[in-house]
Amino acid sequence: MPRDTIFALSSGSPPAGIAVIRVSGPAAGEALRMLAGGRLPPVRCAAARTLRDAEGGPLDHALVLWMPGPRTATGEDIAELHLHGGRAVVAAVEAALARCAGLRPATPGEFTRRAFANGRIDLAEAEGLAELLESETELQRRAAMALAGGRLSQEVGTWRDRVLALSAEVEAALDFSDEEDAGDLGQGFGERVAALAGELGAWLARPRARVLREGFRVVLAGPPNAGKSTLFNALVENEAAITSPIAGTTRDVIERSVALAGVPFTFVDTAGLRDSTAGDEIETIGIARAQAEVERADLVLWLGPEGQGPAGAWEIDAKADDPARQTKSRGAMAVSARTGEQLDVLRERMIGHARAALPAPGDVALTERQAGLVAEAHAALDGIGQAIDPLIVAEHLRQARAAFDRLVGRSSTEDMLDALFGRFCIGK
């Protein structure tokens, strides 16, 4: 457990109306006494104090809070200083804190890491908090709140308890049965294992957090001069891509993230797809990147000749305002980025399609790390169906329990923790 005391600005960057500096650790109370005149305010009650530096010079008139551990956000003693939010005020108070014995500036995510180390939150909740801090849409916020609020952790706790109960049955069979019927694990044992494996499978079938975090990825693809960049600009409502009648104008991948009706999207404009030997080296690279984007897309809008796009692509007749164009069949959407014809209809269809592929509002969406561990537990339970020896059954159950432990952070590597908490800002 860390014994030094950390401090950092925990509110937005100044200038601001109010700036909050948080201090956490065993010297938090002493630091507050030094700055606030020698006495601590009542526990968890805001008090007005004049903060002073080591020489007695006034720093600011502030509200201060004193919250002794362990019932705090970090599990340690915490002091909060609610200052006027000017840059000079914040800098002066931080300088005064830095001169206090045992205090140092916090590193990114260190407050949250201490909360995890002190058992105030588990690893899944910490991941949810990271997602919450990065959320930009209502769907992202609600999914992150569910994860940070412990919904997945509660499920994992229930799963783990069920695995422990199954393990107890196996141990009893090994301890108290003779050799002839040592494999008898009791009526319904296999059904209970299968039921738990089925629940894990249902969680694995849910939409993942990646789509929610990065946005539903829509790639505009087709040959040169098909109208991709013009439609891209209209969809993102920004002149992000250069448009020109010259073939090969777009040579690289252009991405823009936007929210439509609260749904996160990432729109991708790509180089025109054609025979890569027909252009120069730079265009050839652009075509290769375009093909790679098509493969990783959640949805492809195909603006090329009908039937020549990738499987599952939406056929788009992108120049509905041009009577000389080669039209597509009735199954295609005819739109015009120049006049706006049917653009709203296209947006509504994409929003509905994306919502079906994204987590429902308030549902927990598994991160790739979490999904990998749930998959490990699922595979371990699935393996029990073919096992006859109770010792092998016990090992499968141990593997499932170990995966659950890693999911909530009962056993974690330092490298993984560094990567997670490094996503946080300094004041968190």
Side-chain angles (χ1 to χ4, degrees):
M1 177 177 172
R3 297 308 302 166
D4 51 349
T5 299
I6 56 175
F7 67 89
L9 178 68
S10 293
S11 55
S13 298
I18 296 293
V20 179
I21 292 180
R22 177 180 291 171
V23 186
S24 179
E30 184 58 29
L32 183 56
R33 286 192 187 91
M34 292 179 64
L35 267 66
R39 70 187 192 281
L40 293 175
V43 172
R44 292 179 174 81
C45 292
R49 294 285 190 273
T50 297
L51 304 183
R52 299 181 182 275
D53 60 22
E55 290 73 37
L59 297 169
D60 191 27
H61 299 291
L63 286 178
V64 298
L65 285 166
W66 166 239
M67 295 169 283
R71 292 191 306 111
T72 63
T74 62
E76 303 175 327
D77 292 350
I78 287 181
E80 284 189 358
L81 312 175
H82 295 235
L83 317 168
H84 293 94
R87 289 189 180 90
V89 174
V90 172
V93 173
E94 287 181 330
L97 288 170
R99 289 195 291 270
C100 294
L103 268 66
R104 64 168 175 82
T107 58
E110 192 167 8
F111 288 100
T112 308
R113 186 159 185 166
R114 290 189 176 202
F116 167 72
N118 292 325
R120 299 299 295 172
I121 58 174
D122 65 30
L123 196 57
E125 291 168 325
E127 287 174 309
L129 184 55
E131 298 288 336
L132 184 62
L133 293 173
E134 296 172 358
S135 63
E136 296 181 354
T137 69
E138 181 64 8
L139 276 176
Q140 292 169 335
R141 182 192 69 81
R142 293 177 70 174
M145 284 289 292
L147 186 58
R151 195 171 304 172
L152 175 60
S153 301
Q154 293 166 10
E155 286 286 346
V156 173
T158 300
W159 296 337
R160 189 177 187 278
D161 288 344
R162 289 162 68 181
V163 168
L164 285 171
L166 292 167
S167 297
E169 289 187 47
V170 175
E171 293 299 325
L174 289 169
D175 288 343
F176 301 112
S177 296
D178 59 33
E179 223 172 271
E180 283 78 16
D181 58 358
D184 184 7
L185 292 171
Q187 188 175 7
F189 181 88
E191 288 81 358
R192 289 193 295 278
V193 171
L196 180 53
E199 289 183 28
L200 299 186
W203 273 79
L204 289 172
R206 291 184 175 199
R208 299 288 168 81
R210 179 201 63 79
V211 181
L212 195 60
R213 184 189 314 116
E214 299 177 3
F216 190 77
R217 198 169 187 85
V218 179
V219 174
L220 285 72
N225 286 345
K228 299 185 299 298
S229 295
T230 303
L231 179 57
F232 174 82
N233 288 341
L235 290 172
V236 302
E237 298 182 346
N238 190 301
E239 295 297 319
I242 299 172
T243 59
S244 167
I246 301 172
T249 299
T250 302
R251 296 188 167 211
D252 203 352
V253 171
I254 301 174
E255 294 186 11
R256 287 294 183 274
S257 295
V258 298
L260 302 179
V263 177
F265 283 88
T266 295
F267 288 101
V268 184
D269 187 23
T270 61
L273 296 173
R274 60 176 175 177
D275 182 1
S276 60
T277 62
D280 58 30
E281 183 180 355
I282 295 176
E283 185 181 0
T284 300
I285 295 172
I287 291 171
R289 291 181 178 178
Q291 292 168 335
E293 286 296 334
V294 167
E295 291 176 3
R296 66 182 290 227
D298 297 310
L299 172 65
V300 175
L301 303 183
W302 178 250
L303 280 66
E306 190 167 5
Q308 295 184 21
W314 288 9
E315 295 282 358
I316 304 295
D317 185 353
K319 298 182 179 180
D321 59 307
D322 183 3
R325 78 191 189 281
Q326 183 178 356
T327 60
K328 294 187 178 185
S329 68
R330 291 185 179 181
M333 284 203 65
V335 302
S336 171
R338 297 188 186 281
T339 67
E341 179 181 345
Q342 294 293 297
L343 277 181
D344 287 343
V345 176
L346 176 59
R347 288 192 185 96
E348 288 301 318
R349 280 192 61 189
M350 288 190 298
I351 290 167
H353 187 68
R355 278 187 173 141
L358 291 169
D363 275 359
V364 172
L366 297 178
T367 66
E368 294 306 309
R369 185 194 75 87
Q370 293 163 354
L373 291 169
V374 173
E376 281 187 29
H378 182 263
L381 294 174
D382 262 358
I384 291 176
Q386 289 74 46
I388 299 175
D389 188 338
L391 288 173
I392 296 176
V393 173
E395 174 59 18
H396 280 287
L397 292 172
R398 186 199 65 78
Q399 291 173 2
R401 188 172 68 251
F404 294 146
D405 286 347
R406 294 201 304 278
L407 202 157
V408 296
R410 288 174 182 257
S411 56
S412 304
T413 67
E414 285 300 309
D415 287 346
M416 185 273 292
L417 295 177
D418 289 343
L420 169 62
F421 293 110
R423 292 171 57 189
F424 289 80
C425 57
I426 289 176
K428 199 66 181 176

